[in-house]
Amino acid sequence: EVQLLESGGGLVQPGGSLRLSCAASGFTFKNFAMSWVRQSPGKGLEWVSSIGGSGHIRHLPESVKGRFSVSRDNTKDTLYLELNSLRAEDTALYYCAKSNSPLFGSFDHWGQGTLVTVSS
Amino acid sequence: SYVLTQPPSVSVAPGQTANISCAGDKLSTKGVHWYQQKPGQAPMLVVYDDWDRPSGIYERFSGSTSVNTATLTITRVDAGDEADYFCEVWDGGSARVFGGGTKLAVL
């Protein structure tokens, strides 16, 4: 059974940093792209980053490029999201999602999310 | 940047068919995925690559596309189908794009 368990969220001041983790199990982690998707309270889904199975290909939207970075450790079956220069508008539930292919493809499994709150 | 447009809400009576649309430029060339999100839960994939269904998803859920529109169709709707539904694509470049979501209400 595929399981994705996010951690690392919390309350942080504007301008601060956090590192989110997503521990994966139940599948061959290195064979699939992974992504982060966030959802602000009461809002829709927003894609935040994707990384290919090998870790060489990484994509982020312009809204977070230069502030967020995505990485993975295929020896630990873990996905990471580094969040820097955080703003109030980054407050959201951050989901880890598995793709159904090594590069692109649908998000076929999701974690339960970790909450990031940016506030002074 | 690429934009996907969904109606904010769709209402349907129990037992009837719900059609949820998703509009985007040349959408039929991109491969559309649909996600269901019930209150307090993570999203769940219900249709991928325009019309394929993941294992465990009822046949009542189906997808279709025309040139600029994709449609998620749910037949024999019941109260358990009440949820937000999101379409999503890879824009062909380096971005993943979600529609704004449609709230399905079962009257």
Side-chain angles (χ1 to χ4, degrees):
Chain A
E1 178 193 3
V2 172
Q3 292 195 343
L4 301 171
L5 184 62
E6 302 95 336
S7 61
L11 175 64
V12 61
Q13 292 188 339
S17 299
L18 277 177
R19 188 196 201 197
L20 308 184
S21 299
C22 172
S25 61
F27 64 102
T28 305
F29 184 68
K30 64 181 181 179
N31 288 352
F32 297 93
M34 298 291 295
S35 297
W36 290 96
V37 176
R38 69 183 179 184
Q39 187 168 36
S40 300
K43 302 296 185 182
L45 302 174
E46 181 186 8
W47 169 71
V48 174
S49 65
S50 292
I51 184 169
S54 68
H56 297 310
I57 296 176
R58 310 178 192 201
H59 296 303
L60 296 92
E62 291 299 323
S63 59
V64 304
K65 204 172 284 186
R67 299 190 301 122
F68 292 7
S69 63
V70 61
S71 62
R72 62 192 296 162
D73 185 337
N74 286 347
T75 67
K76 296 182 178 179
D77 291 354
T78 303
L79 173 72
Y80 302 100
L81 184 68
E82 197 84 34
L83 296 77
N84 298 306
S85 303
L86 282 162
R87 307 165 179 166
E89 54 264 37
D90 296 317
T91 293
L93 187 62
Y94 284 72
Y95 292 105
C96 161
K98 169 189 170 293
S99 285
N100 67 353
S101 75
L103 285 176
F104 303 105
S106 60
F107 303 133
D108 62 359
H109 290 85
W110 298 65
Q112 288 304 305
T114 186
L115 183 63
V116 172
T117 303
V118 183
S119 175
S120 55
Chain B
S1 60
Y2 195 76
V3 176
L4 294 175
T5 302
Q6 298 182 238
S9 63
V10 166
S11 298
V12 64
Q16 299 304 302
T17 297
N19 291 294
I20 299 173
S21 64
C22 173
D25 187 46
K26 299 182 179 67
L27 191 54
S28 60
T29 66
K30 299 191 181 300
V32 182
H33 316 305
W34 290 93
Y35 304 90
Q36 175 196 68
Q37 186 179 34
K38 295 182 179 180
Q41 296 184 18
M44 180 177 69
L45 180 69
V46 293
V47 168
Y48 67 99
D49 293 347
D50 297 334
W51 53 268
D52 263 324
R53 268 188 315 274
S55 61
I57 299 300
Y58 297 121
E59 291 181 3
R60 298 189 297 109
F61 289 81
S62 63
S64 62
T65 60
S66 63
V67 177
N68 295 314
T69 304
T71 302
L72 175 68
T73 298
I74 310 171
T75 59
R76 303 186 304 281
V77 167
D78 64 37
D81 298 324
E82 279 204 335
D84 293 325
Y85 291 85
F86 297 90
C87 57
E88 182 264 323
V89 298
W90 170 50
D91 72 351
S94 62
R96 307 297 295 260
V97 180
F98 285 95
T102 298
K103 183 176 294 294
L104 175 64
V106 180
L107 303 173

